Amino acid sequence: MAPARPGASSRIEDFLAMLATERGAAANTIAAYRRDLEGASQVIGDLVQADGSSLTRLGQAWSGLAATSLARKCSALRQFYGFCVDEGLRDDDPSGALPRPATRRPLPRLLSHEDVERLLLRAEEEAQGDAPDAVRLLAMLELLYGSGLRATELVALPFAAIPRDAPFLHVTGKGGQQRLVPVSTRAQAVLARWLVHRGALVSKDKPSRFAFPSRGASGHLSRVRLFQLLRELATRAGIDASRVSPHVLRHAFATHLLEGGADLRVLQTLLGHADIATTQIYTHVDSARLVALVNARHPLRDAHRRETPPSGTSQQARR
């Protein structure tokens, strides 16, 4: 194993700093890239000085990885070498020697309209007694499915982000990107109920800046606890708990909006996707409707009808 040359780690840090400042990469993304690049340097030494044969050897060392893991590691290295070329640290880009595993984005798990309705009805029934935990869960469920929030965005939602006179949430998503997310009328009503209970839980002695604070602490409800609460609710609603999670509800939000005729660009904005290619995964669920739309609305549909003779018309008559 070749030792990393002095300064190699600082180049990695420079690259990661660029990702954070210029591209707004999230902390989890930066941490994953750091692990991948440091792991590669342990195999082949100084990444800045590596040549094509070194990267070929690295690919062989990684050959036992799953395709998705291998693709992520190779992507990190390709971006690193692009950075090195841009910064004048080297004249060539050796990343062509890295493998290009064929990966396929998995289709999201889906909940039907009926499944979501059963979840909401169960949550509403349990919240009728106005128990704080039940009202909180109903409010969080409404925001997951009604606004398409990520689990992290929801649990870390600041109290100040909840609207007072406008039906929007100010959400900070991946990479610190901010967006406005609409809140339905029914979600606003449940949030108003929850804020009454929140006011009783939060005091000067137990301050919290979060909309959904954890009990007895200044922090917020954890993603793990949210996951557990949803699965427990699914079981009580008679739904297979393994099919339900915060992210599955986000998928349901996107899928059902698209089925209802939402524009893909609008959906991209609502979900906070930086790349529309991420949003396009949802188009598979509505392919039949899209085909019908093309057949019904495309300008050439009338031309086809004009060129098609009535049944029974002879070839001579058409001439």
Side-chain angles (χ1 to χ4, degrees), residues 3-316:
R5 294 175 46 157
S9 61
S10 66
R11 298 305 186 188
I12 293 177
E13 293 302 322
D14 291 342
F15 167 67
L16 297 176
M18 180 276 293
L19 290 181
T21 57
E22 296 184 16
R23 302 186 190 176
N28 288 343
T29 300
I30 292 173
Y33 275 33
R34 177 180 283 108
R35 289 194 299 271
D36 292 339
L37 294 174
E38 290 178 349
S41 66
Q42 290 174 3
V43 177
I44 63 173
D46 187 350
L47 297 182
V48 178
Q49 303 297 323
D51 55 17
S53 61
S54 297
L55 295 187
T56 298
R57 181 161 50 88
L58 179 63
Q60 293 169 348
W62 285 346
S63 61
L65 296 175
T68 51
S69 298
L70 179 59
R72 191 198 67 240
K73 290 178 181 293
C74 291
S75 175
L77 281 166
R78 289 190 181 94
Q79 293 182 62
F80 175 75
Y81 283 116
F83 167 79
C84 289
V85 172
D86 290 343
E87 295 295 308
L89 299 176
R90 57 184 300 153
D91 298 326
D92 65 322
D93 181 350
S95 63
L98 291 168
R100 292 185 176 273
T103 60
R104 187 177 179 184
R105 185 186 291 271
L107 297 178
R109 288 182 292 169
L110 300 177
L111 288 176
S112 67
H113 292 269
E114 293 75 16
D115 290 332
V116 174
E117 184 175 358
R118 287 169 65 185
L119 274 178
L120 286 169
L121 284 175
R122 180 68 188 193
E124 288 169 353
E125 290 173 0
E126 295 180 357
Q128 284 179 356
D130 227 30
D133 288 351
V135 176
R136 181 186 63 184
L137 181 56
L138 177 58
M140 300 183 86
L141 180 60
E142 288 280 0
L143 292 177
L144 285 170
Y145 177 65
S147 300
L149 299 187
R150 298 179 176 94
T152 301
E153 295 170 347
L154 178 61
V155 297
L157 186 70
F159 174 67
I162 296 180
R164 296 298 183 272
D165 54 2
F168 292 97
L169 291 176
H170 291 269
V171 176
T172 301
K174 287 186 175 181
Q177 298 298 314
Q178 295 189 341
R179 69 186 190 278
L180 283 177
V181 176
V183 181
S184 68
T185 302
R186 55 183 284 164
Q188 289 184 70
V190 178
L191 275 173
R193 292 173 59 192
W194 162 243
L195 292 182
V196 173
H197 292 293
R198 181 191 180 279
L201 295 173
V202 177
S203 65
K204 291 182 179 179
D205 298 330
K206 297 187 297 182
S208 176
R209 67 182 186 88
F210 299 105
F212 301 101
S214 58
R215 290 186 176 275
S218 59
H220 56 70
L221 188 77
S222 70
R223 289 184 302 171
V224 172
R225 185 57 184 148
L226 174 61
F227 180 89
Q228 292 170 341
L229 290 172
L230 286 174
R231 291 215 158 175
E232 291 167 2
L233 176 65
T235 299
R236 296 193 298 271
I239 299 172
D240 181 1
S242 66
R243 298 174 54 226
V244 178
S245 72
H247 210 62
V248 168
L249 285 164
R250 176 172 156 88
H251 287 321
F253 162 82
T255 301
H256 297 167
L257 269 184
L258 194 63
E259 288 176 345
D263 179 83
L264 201 61
R265 285 289 182 186
V266 172
L267 190 59
Q268 177 190 6
T269 300
L270 294 176
L271 293 172
H273 287 161
D275 188 347
I276 197 171
T278 307
T279 317
Q280 286 173 331
I281 191 172
Y282 294 104
T283 60
H284 80 284
V285 303
D286 209 17
S287 57
R289 187 187 67 85
L290 294 176
V291 170
L293 180 64
V294 169
N295 290 336
R297 302 293 180 83
H298 197 284
L300 291 180
R301 76 189 191 283
D302 293 328
H304 173 71
R305 290 170 183 165
R306 287 194 300 269
E307 292 173 2
T308 303
S311 59
T313 304
S314 67
Q315 183 73 17
Q316 184 65 32

